[in-house]
Amino acid sequence: MAASSVPTSGAGRPFSLTARGLTVHRADRPILVDVDLSLSERSRMAVVGPNGVGKSTLLQILAGRLTPDRGRLTPAPLDLTVGLLAQEPPIASAATVREMVADRLGVTAAARELEESAGAIGAADDAGAGPAAQRYDRALERYLAVGAADLGARLEEVADRLGLARHLLDAAPGTLSGGEAERVGLAMVMVSRFDLTLLDEPTNNLDLDGLDLLERWVVDHPGGLVLVSHDRAFLERTVTSVVEIDGHHHTATEFNGGWGAYQRERAVAAARAQV
């Protein structure tokens, strides 16, 4: 498997996503408390902490899937694309793997909006022509930004490189074996085109070839990345900052300089605490 042939996404435009005071409670129990983050196209950030501390919750907030009890996200530009790729069961409504990938990468929604906005132009009167055209322009930009135009070709190319038979792309997601599903998940990551990509435990169950391909994709990826992973060796080779969620207070502390710097700073803090 030629790892050097891993394709990168078309993302990489400058952006910022600022989180301030993110706080989430469940049944009067704190999950996240006053979490601040600043992300950009240069971010390579790992989120770490004990199991159940709120790492996946943080990713869901950043992806816009969950509204915090308090705090806010400020994206710039406003059309910032954020994608959360997590280990999830197959989408029941998807007839094929191709449809599932398109759904999860935002391509299906973008294509639907483009079609509807094109229809709105044809139906608009003189007064509505301008707004309809603006809606179409935004829809087209989104369609191109998420890589909808050539998703099929890119997915087939990546499937070939992963050793995933092309006919499986037309199979029902629920019929895949465990190994095939893992390859599909990796393919989905590799063909995604988000400004900011959020990966929740992307290394789980990957073989050595898959881990190598994922690592090279992360290193070469031109957009921002936030990773949740228990694979310390993978994080040591890929991230440039670490956010640790405290298991007791549920606050977050950012350490710059990569995994090694994070480990050294924690060791120093632990030594000071014992004095």
Side-chain angles (χ1 to χ4, degrees):
M1 188 177 299
S4 60
S5 63
V6 177
T8 59
S9 83
R13 63 173 177 161
F15 75 85
S16 66
L17 180 63
T18 304
R20 290 291 177 264
L22 300 181
T23 299
V24 177
H25 287 82
R26 290 178 184 160
D28 297 326
R29 181 173 65 90
I31 303 299
L32 298 172
V33 177
D34 289 328
V35 173
D36 294 340
L37 292 176
S38 293
L39 298 163
S40 75
E41 73 280 0
R42 295 181 297 277
S43 296
R44 296 289 183 278
M45 179 183 288
V47 179
V48 301
N51 288 337
V53 78
K55 301 186 293 294
S56 294
T57 298
L58 178 58
L59 294 194
Q60 294 217 6
I61 294 173
L62 295 176
R65 295 188 183 184
L66 179 67
T67 300
D69 298 321
R70 189 174 70 246
R72 62 179 297 179
L73 293 175
T74 304
L78 292 177
D79 64 348
L80 177 71
T81 59
V82 182
L84 170 58
L85 299 177
Q87 291 193 338
E88 299 173 313
I91 296 175
S93 61
T96 67
V97 167
R98 292 180 192 271
E99 289 185 12
M100 181 182 73
V101 171
D103 283 349
R104 287 195 171 152
L105 298 186
V107 167
T108 302
R112 184 184 304 115
E113 172 60 14
L114 184 64
E115 182 179 354
E116 292 176 358
S117 63
I121 290 179
D125 56 18
D126 290 343
Q134 292 174 357
R135 177 188 174 188
Y136 177 81
D137 288 344
R138 291 192 298 268
L140 180 59
E141 289 178 3
R142 182 79 176 193
Y143 180 85
L144 297 175
V146 297
D150 62 348
L151 175 62
R154 290 186 291 111
L155 183 58
E156 290 180 356
E157 179 186 1
V158 168
D160 291 344
R161 288 169 176 170
L162 292 176
L164 186 69
R166 285 195 183 186
H167 71 85
L168 293 174
L169 300 179
D170 298 307
T175 66
L176 299 177
S177 69
E180 291 165 349
E182 290 153 15
R183 290 285 163 163
V184 166
L186 180 55
M188 197 180 313
V189 171
M190 292 169 60
V191 298
S192 64
R193 286 190 172 175
F194 300 111
D195 294 314
L196 175 63
T197 304
L198 314 174
L199 301 178
D200 196 351
E201 297 293 355
T203 63
N204 279 6
N205 303 316
L206 289 180
D207 59 21
L208 290 178
D209 283 342
L211 283 169
D212 184 57
L213 282 166
L214 177 63
E215 181 179 323
R216 289 175 180 265
W217 182 87
V218 167
V219 170
D220 293 338
H221 181 62
L225 288 167
V226 179
L227 313 170
V228 170
S229 175
H230 288 87
D231 189 331
R232 299 322 192 210
F234 174 76
L235 295 178
E236 185 174 348
R237 295 190 293 265
T238 55
V239 302
T240 58
S241 65
V242 176
V243 167
E244 181 179 51
I245 301 177
D246 181 82
H248 180 66
H249 299 289
H250 297 273
T251 54
T253 303
E254 183 171 355
F255 301 82
N256 292 310
W259 185 258
Y262 161 66
Q263 295 285 64
R264 288 190 294 273
E265 289 192 45
R266 288 187 80 237
V268 169
R272 287 174 178 168
Q274 293 177 357
V275 174

